[in-house]
Each structure stands twice: as structure tokens, then as C-alpha cells.
Amino acid sequence: FEDSLNVAEEVKNPSRTLPLGLLMALALTAILYVGVAITAVSVVPWRELAQAGAPLAEVMSRAAPWFPGWAFLALTIFAVANTGLINFITASRLLYGMARDKRLPKSLAKVHPERRTPHVAVALILLVLLALVLAGNVAELAAATVLLLLLVFSVVNSALVVLKLRPGEPTGSFEIPIAVPILGALVCITLFVLRVASGGQAGLRATMIAGALLGGAVLLYVAIRPHIGDAKEAAD
């Protein structure tokens, strides 16, 4: 859901399309998740399902033993690759947008003359991903990503609260009650604390990875902040 916001500039009529798309995607996802959950516990008792190393594979082996295991594995890899590709696109667009706004080196705002994609930002994200994959366990990286996302969601919801309380702030084309972002921020912060507190040693390592990534981002911002100011003054 958060990834779709970063490609808003590539959408026709985003003020109407994005809210509608987000709400429809949320509704469809909820229906699919509930359907999968009901189907899974109908085939395999929930106690056995909780102990299974690959729950959905266990459900498939009982409900459709004729279905080849390699095909299920291929579908799983395709789904994971699709998610990774979306995140890759999002990260490159984030770097491109920040560089265009003179908050990162301007070379990251370069666009390929033929494909019209931010190829420099894409290449940088690839190097960062390779370094992360080679530096730690994939499960720990995934857990660290969840922690960072919860922090980001908390900040975004809090920022919306600030905007709603700011005098003279123009209203958008899609408005929600202020209770919604307040509740969203509280839920995200609560989930963050619970994951850190109940994660054990693996959770501690994930927290350290998330802290290192966040600290690196802060150091990068501190390092380039003077250049950002110079670039803005030159543009003015």
C-alpha cells in the first residue's frame, strides 16, 4: 500500500485514483486473507498448522496431493519476486524524488534517455541490497524491515495529525477524521514495542540491524545537509 504512493506521479488523476485504489486493494486483500485463513484451518487443525514449517504447503499437500510441490514453490518464488520488484521500484523513485528536490546528490535524479527510468538510483539501490543480503540472515533482514516500516507508518500518521492541527492548512481532496491517524500511530508504535520485546535474540539482532540502517540514514543526512542548503541557495 505504501509503495503505490511513491508512483503517484506516474498515475492519471492521482487525487481520485490513488485513494480509490488503496481502499479497493485493502478490501480485496482483507477478503483474500480471511478466505485463505478459513480454508487453511478447515483443512489442517490450527494446532498442527501452527507447528508446520510451511503452513500453506502443508495445506496443499492434504487438500490437493496431486498438485506438484515444485509448482507451489514456483508460485511462492514468483510472489516473493513480485514484492521485491515493487519495493525496488519504490526505493529508486524515493531516491529520484529526493534528488530532484535537492535533498540528495543530483546524479540520482538522472533519467535514462530511452527507458525514462531513474537508472542511477536503481543501480545504487541494487548495490545497497547486495550489501544487505551478504551482510546478514534474510529472516533477520525481513524482521528489521518490518520494524522500520512500523516506524515509518508511525511517523506518517503523526505527520497527518500535525497537518490537520496546523492553522490554515488547505484541505485535500480526500479527508479523514483526525482519530484515524491518531489510532494508526498508536497501533504502529504498539506493534513496534511488542515485536522488539517478544523477539528474543533474533528480535534483538533485527532491532540492531534496523537501528544501524536508521543511524546510517541519519549520518548521510547530516553529511549532505550543508550541500542541500548550498544547492537550494544556488537554485534561488
Side-chain angles (χ1 to χ4, degrees):
F1 299 104
E2 75 278 6
D3 292 343
S4 61
L5 298 177
N6 295 289
V7 292
E9 293 179 335
E10 303 173 34
V11 176
K12 293 182 179 179
N13 193 12
S15 62
R16 176 184 181 277
T17 305
L18 279 179
L20 184 61
L22 286 173
L23 293 175
M24 291 177 62
L26 182 61
L28 180 59
T29 301
I31 293 172
L32 289 175
Y33 275 37
V34 171
V36 169
I38 293 175
T39 302
V41 297
S42 299
V43 176
V44 182
W46 67 267
R47 291 183 178 84
E48 296 181 29
L49 201 62
Q51 300 298 324
L56 290 182
E58 181 66 23
V59 172
M60 287 296 299
S61 66
R62 299 195 189 187
W66 50 267
F67 192 80
W70 63 265
F72 185 77
L73 180 62
L75 290 173
T76 304
I77 293 175
F78 176 81
V80 173
N82 180 61
T83 302
L85 178 61
I86 293 173
N87 290 330
F88 200 104
I89 293 174
T90 299
S92 64
R93 267 53 175 186
L94 280 172
L95 294 183
Y96 164 77
M98 294 176 69
R100 187 189 56 186
D101 294 340
K102 300 181 176 61
R103 299 183 181 277
L104 286 177
K106 61 180 182 180
S107 59
L108 294 173
K110 291 183 178 179
V111 176
H112 195 275
E114 296 180 2
R115 294 190 295 271
R116 310 303 300 169
T117 56
H119 58 293
V120 177
V122 169
L124 178 60
I125 291 297
L126 176 60
L127 294 177
V128 172
L129 289 177
L130 289 176
L132 290 174
V133 170
L134 296 175
N137 183 281
V138 174
E140 294 174 357
L141 290 175
T145 302
V146 171
L147 293 177
L148 289 173
L149 283 176
L150 287 174
L151 284 178
V152 169
F153 292 163
S154 301
V155 172
V156 170
N157 279 282
S158 301
L160 181 54
V161 174
V162 173
L163 289 176
K164 283 185 166 293
L165 295 176
R166 180 181 295 173
E169 183 71 24
T171 58
S173 57
F174 183 82
E175 290 289 333
I176 57 174
I178 192 172
V180 174
I182 292 176
L183 182 60
L186 291 176
V187 169
C188 290
I189 292 173
T190 302
L191 290 174
F192 178 86
V193 173
L194 290 176
R195 287 188 67 92
V196 172
S198 62
Q201 290 296 325
L204 178 60
R205 289 192 292 270
T207 303
M208 293 176 62
I209 294 174
L213 292 173
L214 188 60
V218 172
L219 291 176
L220 177 62
Y221 176 75
V222 172
I224 67 175
R225 187 175 181 180
H227 303 289
I228 293 173
D230 295 341
K232 285 186 175 180
E233 290 180 2
D236 295 339

